[in-house]
Amino acid sequence: QGWKPSPFRQFILKIHSKCNLACDYCYMYELADQSWQYQPNVMSQETVSASAGRIADYARRHQLSSIRVILHGGEPLLAGKQLIGFVAREMRAAIGESADIRLSIQTNGTLLTAGMLDLPSSHSVRVSGSLDGGKDGHALHRRYRDGRGSYEAVARGLRLLTSTPYRPLFAGLLSVIDLRNDPVETYESLVSFAPPKIDFLLPHATWSQRPPGRADDSSTPYADWLIAVFDHWWRQGPGRTEVRLFKSVVRLLLGANGGSEQVGLDPADLLVIETDGSIEQVDSLKAAFAGAPETGFRITDGDLDAVAESPGIVARQLGMAALSDTCVSCRLSRTCGGGMYSHRYKTGTGFRNPSVYCVDLMKFIDHASTYVRADIGKIKRG
C-alpha cells in the first residue's frame, strides 16, 4: 500500500536479433526462451521512431534529468551504420534538451572497424565490448558457428577502440566467469586493454538449471574465483580499474546504493524494446522459462507508465517485499538483495527463492566486508 513505481531510466533497443557468433551460454539463443526465432532480423525505422517518441514523452513526464539508451542484439553492429545513425539522430531529436541522453552500444567486438567506429564517434555513442579472458579463456564459449575462436577479431577491434581517435568512446568490458579460467590471469587479460570499467557476470543459471562447474549446492567455487580477483584488485589501490560488482558490494556495505542488478535492492529501472517493438523486462530472464521477460505491451500501445504496472516489473521494484522468507531473515539481505532476480527462479515456486548462487554470494560479501571494515578502522584510527 502506498507503493509507487520507480521510473525507468535505461532502455535497451534490440536493433538486430541475430548474431555472428554462437556463444554456447547465450541467454538469447541457448537457454529456455527461444522467442528470438520469431523476431524480425532488424528493427524498422518506424519502430525506432515510435520508441524515441515514447521514451521522450516518458522522460519529460517524469522530469528525468538523464536516461540511458543501449543499442543491443543479437549483435547490434549487424544492423549497419545507416540504422545506427538513424537511431542516434531520432533519439537525440526526440529527447531534445529535456534530458541528458547517454547512448551506447553493447557489442561482441568482432565487427569493430575504423569505418564502424567513425559513426559512434560522430554521434557520441559509447561502446562496450565482451571479453571472457585471454585467447584460450575467451574461446571456451565465444566462437563462430564453424567452431573458430573469436579472440583475434575481438582483440583487434578493442585495440582499435582504445587507439587515440576512439579511446573516448570506450565504456568498458563485460566478462562471463568460467571457473576453468584462472581468475587473476583473466582479470589481467581484460585490464591489458585499459577498460574504464569491467563487469564480471555470473553465468545465467537457476535452481532448475544449476551453475556449471559446481559440485553441489553447498560448494562455493564462484565465491573463491571472485575472492581471488577481489584480493588482487584491492591491492592495486585507488588507481585500480573499476569492477562493477566489487564497487557495488563495497557501496552496499557502506550503506549506499549498489547500482547493479547482481546485488542489492535497487528497484529495476530498465526496459527492453525488441526488434518487433514488443516491450520486455531485462532479457537475462530468458534463462528462467519461455516468456519470462514478456510484459504484454508493445511500444505503440501507449505510454510507458502502463508497463510499470505489469506484475513482473512490480515484483522487481518491491525490494525486500519481493524476497523469499529465507532472504528476508538473512543478515546480508540488504547487501545481497537476493542476488540477480533471474537466478532465483525454481520450477514450481517461481522467483521467490534465494539466488542459486546464494552460498557464493554470502561467502564473497563476507570476505569483501573484512577489507571494508579494516579500511574504515584505519580511517577512524587516523
Side-chain angles (χ1 to χ4, degrees):
Q1 189 174 359
W3 173 82
K4 290 179 65 176
S6 180
F8 303 118
R9 300 177 187 274
Q10 301 184 73
F11 303 89
I12 289 181
L13 264 63
K14 298 279 190 145
I15 61 173
H16 202 286
S17 65
K18 301 300 188 292
C19 189
N20 60 327
L21 296 182
C23 306
D24 60 12
Y25 54 42
C26 182
Y27 54 75
M28 275 197 66
Y29 307 114
E30 302 297 335
L31 299 181
D33 188 293
Q34 292 291 299
S35 57
W36 64 272
Q37 299 179 61
Y38 311 107
Q39 290 288 340
N41 285 356
V42 185
M43 182 177 279
S44 69
Q45 291 192 353
E46 291 75 16
T47 300
V48 171
S49 297
S51 301
R54 289 278 185 259
I55 292 170
D57 290 345
Y58 183 83
R60 281 190 282 270
R61 188 161 56 251
H62 289 272
Q63 299 181 320
L64 302 180
S65 59
S66 66
I67 61 169
R68 289 188 64 202
V69 175
I70 304 118
L71 310 189
H72 214 287
E75 172 47 51
L77 296 186
L78 287 173
K81 294 170 63 175
Q82 183 176 354
L83 183 65
I84 293 171
F86 180 78
V87 173
R89 290 191 298 273
E90 285 289 289
M91 287 292 167
R92 293 200 186 281
I95 297 295
E97 300 297 319
S98 61
D100 175 33
I101 178 170
R102 302 170 189 175
L103 288 167
S104 63
I105 294 176
Q106 180 62 52
T107 173
N108 62 35
T110 59
L111 301 177
L112 291 174
T113 63
M116 186 60 78
L117 284 171
D118 284 340
L119 184 74
S121 181
S122 62
H123 288 286
S124 299
V125 179
R126 301 197 73 196
V127 179
S128 293
S130 298
L131 188 68
D132 288 350
K135 182 177 180 179
D136 293 339
H138 186 78
L140 288 175
H141 302 284
R142 292 186 175 272
R143 293 181 171 272
Y144 291 99
R145 298 188 186 281
D146 61 6
R148 289 178 298 124
S150 61
Y151 179 82
E152 287 83 357
V154 176
R156 183 168 58 248
L158 291 177
R159 283 193 292 270
L160 184 62
L161 178 58
T162 56
S163 64
T164 301
Y166 306 114
R167 175 74 204 183
L169 303 178
F170 195 15
L173 291 173
L174 293 182
S175 186
V176 179
I177 296 168
D178 189 301
L179 298 174
R180 293 170 290 180
N181 292 334
D182 179 87
V184 173
E185 185 179 309
T186 299
Y187 172 79
E188 287 297 335
S189 67
L190 303 182
V191 168
S192 69
F193 291 100
K197 182 188 300 183
I198 295 172
D199 203 357
F200 283 118
L201 304 178
L202 294 165
H204 289 313
T206 68
W207 289 104
S208 303
Q209 185 173 333
R210 299 295 209 273
R214 194 162 74 182
D216 55 62
D217 291 337
S218 62
S219 60
T220 57
Y222 288 93
D224 297 339
W225 199 98
L226 287 168
I227 285 168
V229 181
F230 183 88
D231 290 355
H232 179 73
W233 172 80
W234 189 274
R235 286 193 293 268
Q236 293 178 345
R240 55 191 165 230
T241 302
E242 179 181 328
V243 176
R244 188 181 181 196
L245 176 59
F246 298 169
K247 180 181 179 181
S248 296
V249 167
V250 170
R251 285 177 55 84
L252 288 162
L253 288 167
L254 293 173
N257 291 335
S260 169
E261 270 202 307
Q262 294 199 79
V263 288
L265 292 168
D266 293 354
D269 66 353
L270 181 150
L271 279 185
V272 176
I273 304 169
E274 289 283 356
T275 51
D276 67 350
S278 55
I279 299 174
E280 295 192 346
Q281 303 177 66
V282 62
D283 44 13
S284 64
L285 287 169
K286 293 178 185 291
F289 60 89
E294 294 176 4
T295 65
F297 290 89
R298 299 179 64 82
I299 199 64
T300 52
D301 284 345
D303 68 65
L304 296 179
D305 282 310
V307 183
E309 302 289 343
S310 62
I313 298 291
V314 172
R316 295 179 58 244
Q317 290 206 346
L318 284 176
M320 191 73 76
L323 298 185
S324 67
D325 292 342
T326 301
C327 291
V328 170
S329 61
C330 177
R331 60 187 172 79
L332 296 178
S333 58
R334 295 194 176 276
T335 307
C336 171
M340 183 174 274
Y341 192 77
S342 56
H343 297 169
R344 305 176 201 171
Y345 180 74
K346 189 175 188 177
T347 303
T349 56
F351 295 96
R352 210 171 180 88
N353 305 289
S355 167
V356 72
Y357 291 103
C358 175
V359 290
D360 291 286
L361 291 170
M362 289 187 71
K363 183 175 181 179
F364 172 67
I365 292 169
D366 278 339
H367 181 84
S369 71
T370 63
Y371 284 80
V372 174
R373 287 197 303 268
D375 265 22
I376 291 173
K378 288 177 185 176
I379 292 169
K380 288 180 176 177
R381 288 193 296 273

